[in-house]
Amino acid sequence: MIGAKLKIALLYDVWNEDPVAAAAKEEPAAAAVRKPRKKVKTVKKEKTDRQEIFEALQKLGHEPSYFELDGRPQSLHSLSRSDADLIFNLTESFDGDDTKEMNVVAYVDLLGLRYTGAGPHAIILAQDKAIAKKIFAFHGIKTPFFATAYRGRIEHAHDISFPLIVKPSWEDGSIGIDAGAVVKNVKEMMERVEYIQDEFDSPALIEEYIEGREIYAGILGSYERAQVLPMIELDLSRLPEGTPRIASYDVKFEKNTEVYKLTKSQIAENLDEDTMKRLSDTALAAYRALKLRDYGRIDMRLAPNGDVYVIEANPNPWLASRQEFAMAAKASGLSYTEMIGAIIDLAMSRYLNANLATAVAVR
């Protein structure tokens, strides 16, 4: 079915929103506006990622539609009756609960529907940062030494030393990360751990702070064959003196703050061939270790001595045209529409290969 015209449903989640009011803001084909991604403040004149993907699918000759999960069982029941050839999965939660993101994908799996992006296994491994870091260590992938703390229980994975960065173990999109996340002594660490537990009801991930450049590697492909896109750097060099050079929530998403205006994502420059190879090899190893597929983004730190550390892996990263993944795809020579087409082809190839394997096994 690759290259054929497909019925593609863009699956997205909304929560705590008046369906009637939401519907008025969306295209006629959509039931409501998906919750604003926690990664960004809504800007009226900017298209949402799903609007851009919808238009790209139309340009590719497919038949796109919107499918909303609103947190009610009825929306799950409706999904079970979908006749789409492929689900383009844009969900991040169910009823606002990010920890249930993998449950949505597992449900789609149970229904036997084809869909883009990571499976439930990959999502749970990437979402639990402590587990992901243990897997990285097993595969010989450098990651900052760490420990976790929750309600008086501390799990030591390594001996760690200050400065440290303390953040929620289960959140993404820089949630829970601000200038106070970097701590220099035990008192600051304990206060931050308590804040994380109280504010997010999440174990606190306590890891060594790695000074260096913030590098993102977008990857397109399957476990067997994957392409590392050109590296993107979040340039933190202009942050005010004394401000931790970290990708805090303000730095990444609060457009009215000084730190947002002083930072920007751009194609990484001044990287020699050996460094580029280490970054690419590390990103690809992390992508495979967590069983990511179709597309993903690996966030890394490049230390002054040239060591590469994986900070976290992101299944199904944000696909807005102004964001890092699309920026990397463009630098590789892919237009936005071609990038969406590549993701569709990768997903459909996976199901085609699975069907062929089944047919061979039956013989």
Side-chain angles (χ1 to χ4, degrees), residues 273-341:
E273 186 176 340
D274 180 62
T275 301
M276 282 294 296
K277 186 176 188 309
R278 278 185 284 113
L279 286 165
S280 294
D281 289 350
T282 299
L284 197 56
Y287 186 87
R288 287 172 170 159
L290 297 188
K291 307 287 191 285
L292 272 60
R293 66 190 191 193
D294 295 351
Y295 68 110
R297 194 188 76 227
I298 308 298
D299 297 355
M300 298 174 286
R301 273 281 163 126
L302 176 60
N305 65 359
D307 286 345
V308 176
Y309 294 83
V310 172
I311 303 301
E312 65 180 42
N314 297 276
N316 307 349
W318 198 6
L319 292 177
S321 61
R322 60 194 177 277
Q323 294 301 315
E324 289 90 356
F325 192 89
M327 188 185 302
K330 183 177 181 180
S332 76
L334 293 175
S335 69
Y336 186 83
T337 298
E338 289 170 335
M339 178 191 75
I340 297 302

Side-chain angles (χ1 to χ4, degrees), residues 3-4 8 11 44 58 84 86 101 108 227 256 272 308 310 358:
I8 301 177
L11 183 67
K44 289 183 179 179
Q58 287 180 317
L86 182 71
E101 179 182 358
V108 175
Q227 171 192 2
N256 295 323
D272 59 45
V308 176
V310 172
T358 300

Side-chain angles (χ1 to χ4, degrees), residues 166-230:
V166 184
K167 54 191 178 183
S169 182
W170 276 78
E171 292 289 345
D172 64 357
S174 293
I175 295 294
I177 302 178
D178 54 35
V182 177
V183 298
K184 300 179 178 64
N185 54 56
V186 173
K187 180 178 181 293
E188 291 180 358
M189 180 187 73
M190 297 306 293
E191 289 174 347
R192 193 68 187 185
V193 166
E194 183 178 11
Y195 163 75
I196 295 298
Q197 292 176 160
D198 292 345
E199 186 72 15
F200 302 100
D201 192 25
S202 167
L205 180 67
I206 306 164
E207 65 179 10
E208 289 188 322
Y209 170 69
I210 304 298
E211 190 66 61
R213 298 170 67 178
E214 184 93 357
I215 306 290
Y216 303 143
I219 299 178
L220 271 172
S222 62
Y223 183 90
E224 297 82 4
R225 298 181 62 183
Q227 171 192 2
V228 181
L229 303 174

